[in-house]
């Protein structure tokens, strides 16, 4: 039966299959790209093609994918048709009846079309219609098939061919799509055992967004006759649906049937990438490159995986190899530029964005990043010009606005504010007070710029010039030394864990912040007053943190580093949440992987406490179930033991007070929910309400008062006991700062620079780097590289102090620090701060830094 009705695989290369497959794959990949950029903005796979091309992000993936789609019949292009031209490549208009009949006769004789019959005359008529499809004459083919169906309503080949022709006319017309599906469904009802028809219908369903139906069809096709192509096709749809584990299984099955599939290997790597398995992803990308040495997307993905690992050199090498294959590859230029920006290499980043825009003038990401790079370097006129171009690119009705479009007006307003204050002494104004409350609230929450009665910042003033480049050699020797020391101190704050790319601009900014904190605290302990916000007074704890805040803000103007208690009252009364997803669905936040085990133990303890108090009879059963829990996903079955936690549960941490023994403050909330297929939401958040903020402020106020008193004593008497007490007070104060999370961004590095600076003021400096990961030490069986999370999960300030001091390796400060110039006097304005952050100091590496 099958041998009679189905044409053999391969053969004459013309028909309807591949172009329709290409169309479907284009739309499929459009959804894939959208899903990727939504979840991982840093990956940005194929984002530009989504805006540029009508059928979605075709790019090279679609071409390579379709080239590998070795359909079992109907290849609708001529194998002997090349760019040099030949008799078979003539225009459709030049076709004549004789030529169509000649081609049809050959096709009919060899039965090289689907569902050929045993009747030679019928086959010749069918072949004519398939030749018409192959030459783009879809309406003529439909009429021809329809005429045949009037005589023989259940002629399967004609029904199938008419469905193909409707699909070829264009799925953008819903009428064509519905007619194509109707015809293919009729074929399936008449001939239910042909996997190719199920796959063809899936390729029409998936671009229409009917993914579950498409998956069902592909599953049926696989049941009938599994193949590498079918597994790969289904894996792609699971990938789009963010079911990365199932997608991985399908790509693995596909590769087992045909191991030489670079596209499938690439997707397999991406399923690893999205689950936080970066090393496995890298191995898959490398394997794809072994199979296809000129695979640009594999190099691009490899570069992005290395970037997420924080390996700048390896990422740069991979991006560069992609550009050697195609120097005009827009996506690679964009991703490389973004990596360079977040590495602090703004000049190099700008070159990539400019090249990207030469090739693709309407690329929103490159346009936004070009404007941001200019502003970060103090080139406000060029920066705002680029920002305005993004603002003019309004989304079409029904189209979702891009992240760049949503952010650009905040950046433009902030850029104008910065430019207006370039030469105003930093001690004379306060950004948190100056910027309108609703503007700050919307910016920090990443909301659309819909602010009632908002009065725009004044435009750029011609008398205020942009920041000019400052040569390192133009600074005096002592200032050069100051910069080199700052670079060294900043590098001490780098997290050696996946997800944290070294940023030399942030390093310098926070190194200078550390030195300025040291100098300010020393002056305070010597009873000197400070100039803050236009007033001269004794320094308070917030002033100490504000020194670091100003440096963090100017290092990257894209990120709103704002005090949450300075937000509008109604926003603070509702609570301002700092939210971190650890696992969402199957997407793992790789930055926090090291913490899962520690949080898991905490959750298990809290569950036992809860059941001990509320369900003592079931405690034994719960305890036995918890003993089998080794990962977060294993907690889901535990939910069934209590009706209130069946769909999920929350666990709250508590922060003990030092000021009022026995009193506890709200820490952060851990939330776990899950569904039947294993997708979970595992998240933590802190809710910064006004009441909670006041409690923490009272704690920090008391510690700062005690710190100042002991600091003054320390200056007069450098006894070991006094130094140790001061160190513990500094770490305790920052412990409460970390748990409060009082800033919209940047709390971690800001707090650590304050720790370093205040310790240096006490005569101690940190000589040890933040550890890379787990370490077996006497104080704790587990140590994490994330200082903020270590503070948030420590049982108290004393425990945090012990853990922090275990890696800090405190030693007596070098006397040479006293000879460094004053940071606040050397860089008194935004202009001078931007100048020093722009300055290249690569030769600092060639000279001996005084403190090392």
């Amino acid at each position: 039966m099958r041998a009679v009705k189905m044409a053999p695989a391969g053969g004459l290369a013309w028909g309807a299959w591949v172009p329709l497959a290409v169309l479907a794959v284009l739309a499929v990949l459009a959804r894939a790209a959208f899903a990727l950029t939504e979840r991982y903005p840093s990956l940005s796979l194929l984002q530009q093609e989504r805006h540029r091309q009508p059928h979605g992000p075709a790019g090279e993936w679609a071409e390579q994918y379709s080239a590998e789609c070795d359909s079992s019949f109907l290849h609708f292009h001529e194998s002997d048709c090349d760019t040099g031209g030949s008799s078979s490549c003539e225009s459709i208009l030049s076709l004549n009846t004789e030529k169509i009949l000649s081609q049809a006769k050959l096709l009919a004789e060899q039965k090289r079309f689907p569902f050929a019959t045993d009747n030679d005359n019928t086959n010749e008529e069918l072949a004519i219609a398939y030749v018409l499809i192959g030459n783009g004459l879809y309406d003529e083919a439909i009429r021809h098939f329809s005429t045949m169906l009037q005589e023989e309503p259940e002629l399967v080949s004609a029904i199938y061919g008419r469905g193909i022709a409707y699909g070829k006319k264009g799925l953008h017309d819903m009428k064509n799509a519905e007619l194509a599906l109707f015809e293919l469904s009729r074929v399936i009802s008449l001939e239910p055992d042909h996997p190719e028809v199920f796959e063809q219908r899936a390729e029409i369903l998936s671009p229409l967004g009917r993914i579950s139906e498409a998956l069902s069809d592909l599953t049926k096709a696989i049941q009938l006759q599994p193949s590498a192509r079918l597994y790969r096709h289904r894996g792609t749809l699971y990938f789009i649906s963010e079911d990365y584990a199932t997608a991985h299984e399908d790509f693995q099955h596909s590769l087992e049937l045909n191991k030489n599939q670079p596209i499938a290997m690439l997707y397999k790597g991406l399923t690893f990438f999205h689950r936080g398995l970066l090393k496995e992803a890298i191995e898959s990308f490398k394997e794809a490159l072994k199979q296809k040495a000129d695979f640009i997307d594999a190099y691009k993905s490899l570069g992005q995986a290395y970037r997420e690992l924080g390996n700048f050199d390896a990422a740069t090498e991979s991006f560069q190899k992609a550009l050697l294959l195609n120097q005009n590859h827009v996506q690679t230029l964009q991703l490389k530029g973004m990596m360079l920006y977040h590495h602090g290499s703004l000049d190099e980043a700008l070159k990539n964005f400019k090249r990207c825009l030469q090739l693709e003038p309407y690329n929103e990401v490159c346009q936004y990043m070009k404007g941001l790079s200019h502003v970060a370097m103090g080139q406000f006129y060029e920066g705002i010009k680029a920002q305005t171009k993004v603002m003019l690119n309004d989304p079409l009705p029904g189209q979702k606005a891009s992240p760049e479009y949503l952010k650009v007006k905040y950046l433009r307003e902030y850029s104008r504010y910065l430019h207006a204050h370039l030469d105003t002494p930093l001690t004379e104004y306060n950004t948190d007070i100056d910027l309108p409350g609703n503007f700050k609230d919307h910016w920090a929450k990443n909301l659309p710029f819909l602010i009632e009665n908002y009065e725009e910042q004044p435009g750029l003033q011609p008398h205020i010039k942009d920041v000019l480049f400052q040569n390192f050699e133009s600074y005096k020797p002592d200032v050069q030394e100051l910069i080199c020391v700052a670079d060294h101190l900043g590098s001490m704050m780098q997290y050696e864990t996946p997800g944290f790319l070294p940023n030399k601009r942030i390093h310098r900014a926070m190194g200078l912040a550390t030195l300025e904190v040291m100098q300010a605290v020393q002056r305070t302990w010597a009873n000197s007053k400070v100039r803050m916000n236009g007033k001269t007074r004794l320094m308070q704890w917030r002033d100490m943190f504000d020194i670091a805040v100003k440096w963090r803000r100017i290092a990257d103007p894209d990120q709103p580093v704002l005090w949450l208690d300075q937000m509008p009252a109604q926003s603070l009364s509702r609570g301002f949440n700092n939210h971190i997803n650890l696992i969402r669905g199957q997407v793992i936040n790789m930055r926090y992987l090291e913490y899962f085990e520690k949080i898991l133990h905490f959750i298990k303890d809290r569950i036992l406490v809860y059941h001990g108090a509320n369900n003592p009879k079931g405690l034994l059963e719960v305890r036995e179930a918890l003993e089998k829990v080794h990962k977060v996903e294993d907690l889901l079955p535990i939910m069934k033991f209590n009706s209130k936690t069946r769909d999920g549960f929350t666990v709250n941490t508590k922060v003990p007070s030092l000021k009022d023994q026995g009193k506890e403050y709200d820490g952060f909330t851990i939330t776990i929910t899950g569904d039947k297929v294993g997708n979970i939401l595992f998240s933590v958040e802190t809710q910064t309400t006004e009441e909670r903020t006041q409690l923490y402020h009272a704690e920090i106020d008391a510690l700062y008062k005690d710190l100042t008193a002991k600091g003054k004593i320390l200056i007069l008497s450098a006894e070991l006991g006094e130094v140790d007490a001061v160190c513990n007070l500094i770490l305790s104060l920052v412990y409460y700062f970390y748990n409060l999370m009082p800033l919209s961004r940047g709390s971690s590095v800001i707090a650590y620079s304050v720790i370093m600076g205040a310790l240096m003021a006490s005569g101690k400096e940190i000589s040890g780097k933040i550890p890379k990961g787990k370490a077996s030490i006497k104080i704790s069986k587990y140590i994490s590289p994330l200082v903020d999370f270590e503070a948030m999960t420590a049982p108290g300030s004393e425990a945090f102090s012990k853990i922090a001091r275990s890696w800090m390796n405190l030693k007596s400060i070098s006397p040479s620090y006293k000879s460094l110039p004053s940071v606040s006097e050397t860089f008194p304005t935004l202009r001078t701060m931007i100048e020093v952050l722009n300055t290249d100091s690569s030769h600092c590496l060639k000279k001996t830094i005084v403190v090392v």
Side-chain angles (χ1 to χ4, degrees):
M1 177 78 172
R2 183 180 178 111
V4 174
K5 291 207 171 187
M6 295 297 292
L12 187 66
W14 56 313
W17 181 270
V18 169
L20 185 56
V22 171
L23 181 62
V25 171
L26 298 189
V28 166
L29 288 178
R31 299 174 186 278
F34 182 76
L36 283 169
T37 51
E38 279 288 287
R39 293 299 313 128
Y40 282 87
S42 61
L43 193 57
S44 300
L45 288 171
L46 307 179
Q47 186 179 36
Q48 302 319 305
E49 279 80 350
R50 177 165 61 85
H51 296 293
R52 184 176 60 187
Q53 300 188 11
H55 295 302
E60 294 147 50
W61 282 17
E63 294 168 14
Q64 291 152 352
Y65 194 105
S66 61
E68 292 189 3
C69 284
D70 50 339
S71 171
S72 58
F73 58 90
L74 287 184
H75 294 261
F76 267 16
H77 65 273
E78 297 213 30
S79 59
D80 60 341
C81 189
D82 57 50
T83 55
S86 69
S87 59
S88 62
C89 298
E90 295 177 25
S91 166
I92 291 172
L93 296 176
S94 69
L95 290 172
N96 53 39
T97 304
E98 182 180 347
K99 186 167 184 178
I100 289 176
L101 291 174
S102 173
Q103 292 178 347
K105 184 177 181 180
L106 180 63
L107 193 65
E109 287 175 354
Q110 299 180 357
K111 294 186 177 181
R112 286 188 170 180
F113 57 89
F115 301 101
T117 72
D118 295 328
N119 187 303
D120 292 341
N121 292 331
T122 301
N123 285 343
E124 286 187 14
E125 288 295 317
L126 289 167
I128 289 171
Y130 279 111
V131 170
L132 291 171
I133 293 177
N135 287 284
L137 301 171
Y138 310 126
D139 288 325
E140 289 81 353
I142 290 168
R143 281 193 290 271
H144 196 89
F145 283 130
S146 297
T147 300
M148 296 184 73
L149 287 166
Q150 286 176 358
E151 298 178 8
E152 193 175 344
E154 294 190 351
L155 184 57
V156 176
S157 186
I159 299 170
Y160 182 85
R162 191 162 67 176
I164 292 291
Y166 280 127
K168 286 289 291 173
K169 281 184 70 175
L171 298 183
H172 56 276
D173 186 333
M174 188 55 68
K175 184 179 179 181
N176 289 335
E178 292 298 337
L179 287 169
L181 290 172
F182 176 76
E183 302 290 27
L184 292 172
S185 297
R186 286 182 65 198
V187 174
I188 289 172
S189 67
L190 295 168
E191 295 285 346
D193 297 327
H194 293 288
E196 297 88 345
V197 188
F198 285 99
E199 183 179 14
Q200 182 73 72
R201 190 168 69 174
E203 292 209 12
I204 294 175
L205 287 166
S206 55
L208 301 177
R210 296 162 67 173
I211 302 297
S212 61
E213 294 172 76
L215 285 168
S216 178
D217 272 359
L218 289 170
T219 299
K220 180 63 177 177
I222 289 170
Q223 289 170 349
L224 289 168
Q225 186 179 338
S227 70
R229 184 187 68 253
L230 286 170
Y231 276 119
R232 186 179 67 230
H233 190 169
R234 191 175 69 173
T236 304
L237 294 189
Y238 278 125
F239 183 85
I240 292 164
S241 306
E242 296 187 19
D243 187 350
Y244 301 117
T246 308
H248 175 267
E249 290 177 8
D250 271 357
F251 291 129
Q252 188 61 38
H253 285 315
S254 181
L255 289 163
E256 286 169 0
L257 292 171
N258 178 7
K259 65 179 180 181
N260 189 28
Q261 296 186 84
I263 287 286
M265 187 60 72
L266 173 67
Y267 268 105
K268 177 184 172 183
L270 290 171
T271 64
F272 282 130
F273 181 94
H274 282 276
R275 289 179 291 160
L277 305 171
L278 291 177
K279 292 180 181 178
E280 291 84 349
I282 287 169
E283 290 305 310
S284 294
F285 297 147
K286 287 181 176 179
E287 186 61 36
L289 286 165
K290 287 180 184 178
Q291 296 179 12
K292 183 176 172 58
D294 61 349
F295 198 176
I296 291 178
D297 283 294
Y299 274 123
K300 181 184 64 180
S301 299
L302 184 61
Q304 200 64 6
Y306 277 127
R307 179 202 188 281
E308 291 299 324
L309 272 179
N311 190 333
F312 176 78
D313 292 336
T316 301
E317 182 182 357
S318 296
F319 286 138
Q320 199 56 39
K321 286 180 178 177
L323 291 172
L324 285 173
L325 291 169
N326 180 2
Q327 63 179 347
N328 297 331
H329 197 252
V330 171
Q331 298 159 27
T332 302
L333 288 166
Q334 175 185 312
L335 290 174
K336 184 184 176 187
M338 293 180 73
M339 180 189 71
L340 287 165
Y341 178 87
H342 292 291
H343 180 62
S345 305
L346 272 55
D347 271 331
E348 290 300 311
L350 199 51
K351 292 175 185 175
N352 283 267
F353 299 134
K354 287 179 177 178
R355 179 60 182 155
C356 167
L357 290 166
Q358 287 175 351
L359 297 166
E360 199 172 89
Y362 297 103
N363 185 307
E364 278 191 79
V365 175
C366 289
Q367 192 70 256
Y368 179 87
M369 293 303 299
K370 176 189 174 186
L372 174 61
S373 300
H374 276 302
V375 166
M377 292 191 291
Q379 300 163 4
F380 291 91
Y381 288 90
E382 284 298 319
I384 290 179
K385 189 191 301 181
Q387 294 164 20
T388 303
K389 290 181 180 179
V390 178
M391 290 176 60
L392 295 174
N393 194 16
D394 295 319
L396 298 171
Q399 182 184 16
K400 186 176 181 180
S402 69
E404 290 71 34
Y405 182 83
L406 292 174
K407 292 193 301 180
V408 71
K409 194 161 186 180
Y410 295 107
L411 179 60
R412 189 186 72 162
E413 290 300 288
Y414 187 48
S415 300
R416 287 173 167 178
Y417 174 81
L418 292 176
H419 184 263
H421 291 81
L422 266 178
D423 299 306
T424 307
L426 289 155
T427 55
E428 301 305 311
Y429 65 95
N430 185 316
T431 301
D432 283 281
I433 293 174
D434 294 346
L435 292 176
N438 285 337
F439 173 89
K440 295 186 298 178
D441 182 61
H442 281 60
W443 188 21
K445 293 176 179 176
N446 198 28
L447 298 175
F449 198 102
L450 300 172
I451 305 172
E452 291 184 10
N453 303 319
Y454 177 75
E455 186 175 338
E456 290 189 350
Q457 294 287 327
L460 301 188
Q461 302 299 308
H463 69 279
I464 303 176
K465 304 302 180 185
D466 273 351
V467 176
L468 299 176
F469 180 75
Q470 188 90 344
N471 276 318
F472 182 78
E473 292 78 10
S474 66
Y475 287 110
K476 294 178 180 179
D478 60 342
V479 177
Q480 292 182 20
E481 193 66 46
L482 180 71
I483 297 169
C484 291
V485 170
D487 285 354
H488 166 70
L489 292 174
S491 69
M492 302 284 287
M493 304 180 201
Q494 179 63 40
Y495 286 147
E496 299 290 339
T497 193
F500 292 92
L501 185 74
N503 188 324
K504 59 186 182 182
R505 191 177 180 89
I506 297 288
H507 288 172
R508 177 172 298 171
M510 303 322 294
L512 288 166
T514 296
L515 291 170
E516 188 173 347
V517 167
M518 175 193 75
Q519 294 168 348
V521 171
Q522 285 176 336
R523 289 197 303 271
T524 298
W525 291 349
N527 287 319
S528 295
K529 295 183 179 181
V530 294
R531 182 78 177 171
M532 288 282 182
N533 306 326
K535 296 179 181 179
T536 302
R537 53 178 169 74
L538 291 173
M539 187 172 74
Q540 301 302 311
W541 69 264
R542 190 194 291 262
D543 302 324
M544 180 171 62
F545 283 93
D546 255 331
I547 292 170
V549 166
K550 73 174 181 182
W551 282 104
R552 178 62 182 81
R553 275 178 183 157
I554 204 61
D556 184 3
D558 188 43
Q559 298 180 349
V561 182
L562 301 163
W563 289 96
L564 298 182
D565 67 337
Q566 299 296 310
M567 294 291 178
Q570 63 179 43
S571 175
L572 194 58
S573 65
R574 290 196 299 264
F576 201 104
N577 292 1
N578 273 304
H579 186 93
I580 300 171
N581 282 331
L582 303 180
I583 303 177
R584 182 179 180 273
Q586 295 175 9
V587 181
I588 297 173
N589 190 332
M590 58 200 76
R591 289 187 170 193
Y592 302 96
L593 275 175
E594 299 271 3
Y595 263 97
F596 284 17
E597 183 181 345
K598 187 172 186 180
I599 295 177
L600 182 62
H601 285 305
F602 174 76
I603 293 170
K604 289 164 72 172
D605 289 341
R606 299 309 302 168
I607 289 174
L608 287 173
V609 170
Y610 173 82
H611 280 278
N614 298 283
N615 182 26
K617 292 182 179 180
L619 183 60
L620 180 60
E621 186 181 4
V622 172
R623 189 185 301 277
E624 290 175 352
L626 285 173
E627 288 175 358
K628 300 175 183 177
V629 172
H630 302 293
K631 56 183 185 295
V632 176
E633 295 89 323
D634 296 340
L635 284 171
L636 297 179
I638 307 296
M639 297 177 185
K640 68 183 179 184
F641 287 108
N642 188 287
S643 59
K644 293 183 179 179
T645 63
R646 189 163 292 158
D647 299 320
F649 58 86
T650 60
V651 178
N652 298 306
T653 65
K654 293 295 181 181
V655 177
S657 169
L658 282 176
K659 182 171 67 75
D660 301 312
Q661 291 297 319
K663 188 174 182 180
E664 292 182 325
Y665 308 133
D666 288 334
F668 65 94
T669 301
I670 305 164
T671 301
I672 299 180
T673 60
D675 59 27
K676 293 179 181 178
V677 297
N679 290 316
I680 71 170
L681 175 64
F682 176 36
S683 63
V684 299
E685 70 175 21
T686 56
Q687 190 173 35
T688 307
T689 61
E690 187 173 5
E691 180 184 3
R692 181 177 180 273
T693 299
Q694 289 175 354
L695 290 171
Y696 274 88
H697 280 191
E699 193 78 28
I700 296 173
D701 283 337
L703 285 165
Y704 182 77
K705 183 178 179 181
D706 200 6
L707 174 63
T708 303
K710 283 189 167 51
K712 291 179 178 180
I713 295 171
L714 183 63
I715 288 180
L716 301 174
S717 172
E719 292 184 12
L720 185 61
E722 294 293 343
V723 175
D724 198 54
V726 167
C727 288
N728 284 333
L729 281 170
I730 292 167
L731 291 170
S732 295
L733 187 152
V734 176
Y735 164 78
Y736 289 102
F737 181 91
Y738 275 130
N739 277 282
L740 174 59
M741 295 294 282
L743 297 166
S744 58
R745 295 292 292 271
S747 293
S748 183
V749 72
I750 284 167
Y752 203 68
S753 63
V754 168
I755 289 175
M756 291 180 70
L759 285 173
M760 289 164 69
S762 74
K764 294 290 184 180
E765 66 173 306
I766 296 172
S767 63
K769 292 198 72 172
I770 300 170
K772 190 169 184 177
K774 293 183 179 180
S776 179
I777 56 175
K778 292 180 180 179
I779 298 170
S780 174
K781 293 181 180 179
Y782 182 92
I783 193 164
S784 167
L786 306 185
V787 186
D788 53 347
F789 248 55
E790 193 59 52
M792 291 164 66
T793 55
S797 59
E798 184 179 351
F800 169 68
S801 296
K802 287 181 179 179
I803 290 170
R805 292 182 70 163
S806 70
W807 79 67
M808 287 180 172
N809 192 22
L810 295 177
K811 67 176 186 179
S812 296
I813 194 170
S814 168
S816 56
Y817 278 111
K818 293 181 180 179
S819 63
L820 293 175
S822 164
V823 176
S824 60
E825 292 175 8
T826 307
F827 309 112
T829 63
L830 279 177
R831 182 184 299 277
T832 53
M833 288 173 69
I834 295 172
E835 283 174 350
V836 72
L837 294 182
N838 289 345
T839 300
D840 175 44
S841 60
S842 54
H843 53 288
C844 279
L845 301 174
K846 301 173 185 176
K847 59 192 288 188
T848 303
I849 299 175
V850 68
V851 297
V852 177

